[in-house]
Amino acid sequence: LKELCYKWNYFGTGFSASPFLLHPLVRAAVMSFDRILPSGTAIGCASDVQILGFGFTFLGYASPPFRCYFGDFGSTSARVVNNTVIECSTPLIQGAQYITVNVSVGSLQNLTVTTSFRVYDPSDVMVTSIAPQAASYNLVGVVKLAGFFLDLGAVSCRFGSFMTSLAVFDPARSVVSCLKPAFPDTERERT
């Protein structure tokens, strides 16, 4: 961001313009943290979370490191995915509670993302039925889970070592619908 101005010189016979730099190169980042997804994790689990906002890549390669702080339970390094997403992992947190999540950017500390990140007891989530109970390993299909779930703003499903974020939570019916991927032939016996 530089402001190029023109200095007018009078030489007796007329004016001539020569450019000069009015201000030295100054870079400033404008960032906003909008929300964190998912907005919670289970007691004793390290979960990957995404912090959504904007302005994360404005400084480019000169960007200072980002860190995520989870209450008094520690911090983890963060990875800038793009201008609107930062990813980090939660530390292992004991005890069901709500905690504050902050981000630091270089020497800027305690930039609050949320004050209501939920740490929940895993027994609060229960699957009571799965349909269908069997399907072809090499075809894509929808799997529906019914039970008791928490709405943490983001849903994903894991099928063995395969994870999909193509999932939807219907809180009115307490059903999670997941898109099962087509597994490769190497997974035929495991699925």
Side-chain angles (χ1 to χ4, degrees):
L1 303 175
K2 62 182 178 180
E3 188 174 335
L4 191 61
C5 295
Y6 287 88
K7 179 170 59 174
W8 295 93
N9 298 317
Y10 181 69
F11 293 109
T13 57
F15 289 94
S16 70
S18 61
F20 70 98
L21 189 61
L22 181 64
H23 300 288
L25 182 64
V26 175
R27 297 188 92 175
V30 176
M31 286 183 227
S32 171
F33 301 101
D34 298 328
R35 62 187 171 145
I36 186 168
L37 293 175
S39 60
T41 188
I43 294 170
C45 292
S47 300
D48 293 332
V49 296
Q50 292 185 330
I51 296 173
L52 309 179
F54 72 88
F56 303 145
T57 60
F58 181 74
L59 294 176
Y61 292 111
S63 182
F66 286 71
R67 287 195 73 76
C68 298
Y69 292 83
F70 295 87
D72 296 329
F73 297 96
S75 68
T76 60
S77 62
R79 182 178 73 86
V80 176
V81 175
N82 58 40
N83 196 45
T84 61
V85 178
I86 299 170
E87 288 181 341
C88 55
S89 296
T90 66
L92 301 178
I93 302 170
Q94 299 304 318
Q97 59 193 295
Y98 287 89
I99 62 171
T100 297
V101 177
N102 294 317
V103 171
S104 70
V105 182
S107 62
L108 295 174
Q109 300 289 322
N110 298 326
L111 304 171
T112 301
V113 176
T114 184
T115 57
S116 59
F117 186 78
R118 184 172 182 180
V119 181
Y120 61 90
D121 188 327
S123 66
D124 292 344
V125 176
M126 184 185 317
V127 175
T128 57
S129 68
I130 300 173
Q133 292 187 356
S136 178
Y137 79 96
N138 60 349
L139 296 176
V140 173
V142 176
V143 175
K144 293 191 177 197
L145 309 164
F148 304 100
F149 305 103
L150 300 173
D151 188 357
L152 299 174
V155 179
S156 63
C157 298
R158 183 180 305 272
F159 298 91
S161 60
F162 296 88
M163 191 152 156
T164 178
S165 59
L166 300 172
V168 178
F169 174 53
D170 179 354
R173 295 178 38 223
S174 197
V175 172
V176 173
S177 299
C178 305
L179 188 63
K180 179 196 83 60
F183 298 114
D185 287 337
T186 57
E187 297 293 315
R188 182 176 185 156
E189 297 302 317
R190 295 180 54 194
T191 56

